[in-house]
Amino acid sequence: MTPETNPRTIQAVGITLEVIDYLHEHDRARVTEIADALDRSKGTIHCHLATLLEKEHVVKDGDDYRLSLRYLELGERVKDRLGIYDVVTDELSDLAEQSNELVQFATEEHGKGVYLYKKGGERAVQTASSIGKREYLHCTSLGKSILAHYPRERVEAIIDRHGLPGYTPNTITSSTELFEELETIRDRGYAFDDEEKIEGLRCVAAPVKAGEDDVLGAVSISGPSSRMTGDRYREELPDMVSRSANVIEINAKFS
């Protein structure tokens, strides 16, 4: 690759981001704990934390460090710049009430799905997904419905970068099988997750598009496999997510 497409990285910035990621995953931590986890010297980690503290990106409680509320401000600003967040929340709130299940919206960034919103109906199951969490695309209905409308070259690049890790016996781990599945999804208009990420959980999703190859994200409904069966799973819920995706597409044009 050329220097323009593969620019040199700055090690110090990388270490700072590793520290931020660690605090994000562990809520709070001390210098020694972070240094051991990242295989860095305590002096190096202390310098990075001191800089983050000065710039108000972390807070120090005794010997513990945690992320500051600055990230709440940053997150809200990023959501506002998406332009469709309010449309998504309104439509998914209605969808959760209609389906009584867990509904979610995700978009793609750096080759992974990022959850932007989730809402539970009266019978919604609890899952490990959370706002901002990143997930592999090949093993969820949200991800597959997005990939199905990407050019093949872009999907191949995502596979090269992240691979196709398996989670359950139903996870697609072959690129050949994945491209066959994506073709079916593209023709059908929606995607299924038949216990491909979590055993006992099924999902169905439809893409939200701004153009033929421009995908804003996807809408999904998730529920236990005991309830996601028959016509409800294969027809009723796909119709519901497809309608919601269409509503978001239309409203997004005027938001």
Side-chain angles (χ1 to χ4, degrees):
M1 301 178 75
T2 65
E4 289 76 15
T5 57
N6 187 24
R8 294 175 61 186
T9 59
I10 300 174
Q11 184 181 26
V13 176
I15 296 173
T16 297
L17 294 175
E18 288 177 357
V19 171
I20 292 172
D21 286 344
Y22 188 86
L23 290 176
H24 170 64
E25 292 293 331
H26 296 82
D27 187 32
R28 60 178 63 228
R30 299 187 176 188
V31 172
T32 301
E33 176 187 342
I34 299 172
D36 290 344
L38 301 183
D39 195 24
R40 306 285 184 182
S41 71
K42 288 192 292 185
T44 295
I45 296 302
H46 185 269
C47 288
H48 285 271
L49 285 168
T51 303
L52 288 168
L53 183 62
E54 180 182 344
K55 298 300 182 180
E56 301 180 356
H57 281 259
V58 300
V59 174
K60 187 178 182 183
D61 293 328
D63 292 328
D64 291 341
Y65 291 86
R66 59 177 173 81
L67 296 181
S68 75
L69 295 176
R70 174 66 62 86
Y71 294 94
L72 180 62
E73 176 189 358
L74 295 175
E76 288 298 314
R77 185 162 298 180
V78 170
K79 286 194 302 185
D80 289 342
R81 288 176 178 171
L82 289 172
I84 63 169
Y85 187 76
D86 290 342
V87 174
V88 168
T89 57
D90 289 345
E91 181 57 31
L92 263 66
S93 294
D94 290 342
L95 183 60
E97 184 177 351
Q98 294 166 14
S99 66
N100 291 319
E101 303 287 1
L102 176 67
V103 301
Q104 300 178 105
F105 182 89
T107 190
E108 180 268 329
E109 187 176 80
H110 296 300
K112 285 192 173 182
V114 183
Y115 292 100
L116 298 184
Y117 186 73
K118 64 185 295 186
K119 181 74 172 181
E122 289 187 358
R123 298 193 296 170
V125 295
Q126 297 297 318
T127 68
S129 64
S130 58
I131 307 305
K133 184 175 182 179
R134 295 172 181 268
E135 186 60 85
Y136 289 99
L137 295 169
H138 70 288
C139 55
T140 66
S141 59
L142 285 165
K144 289 189 295 181
S145 62
I146 292 173
L147 290 177
H149 296 277
Y150 279 177
R152 184 182 181 95
E153 295 77 14
R154 187 170 179 181
V155 179
E156 289 174 341
I158 290 173
I159 294 173
D160 288 343
R161 179 174 182 178
H162 297 295
L164 299 172
Y167 290 94
T168 75
N170 292 349
T171 307
I172 295 175
T173 56
S174 159
S175 59
T176 299
E177 185 179 352
L178 178 61
F179 279 110
E180 291 175 353
E181 173 81 352
L182 296 182
E183 183 176 356
T184 299
I185 294 168
R186 189 162 50 250
D187 293 340
R188 186 174 55 206
Y190 49 85
F192 292 108
D193 167 4
D194 188 8
E195 302 183 65
E196 295 166 46
K197 179 63 170 61
I198 301 172
E199 292 190 57
L201 186 73
R202 284 180 174 156
C203 315
V204 59
V208 175
K209 298 187 292 181
E212 189 60 31
D213 293 324
D214 187 5
V215 185
L216 300 175
V219 178
S220 74
I221 298 176
S222 304
S225 56
S226 59
R227 285 204 300 263
M228 307 283 272
T229 59
D231 289 345
R232 183 168 192 265
Y233 181 49
R234 293 294 173 181
E235 296 181 13
E236 180 183 343
L237 296 181
D239 286 345
M240 294 176 72
V241 293
S242 297
R243 286 197 300 269
S244 288
N246 182 243
V247 169
I248 295 172
E249 288 173 350
I250 293 172
N251 286 326
K253 296 178 181 179
F254 305 100
S255 63

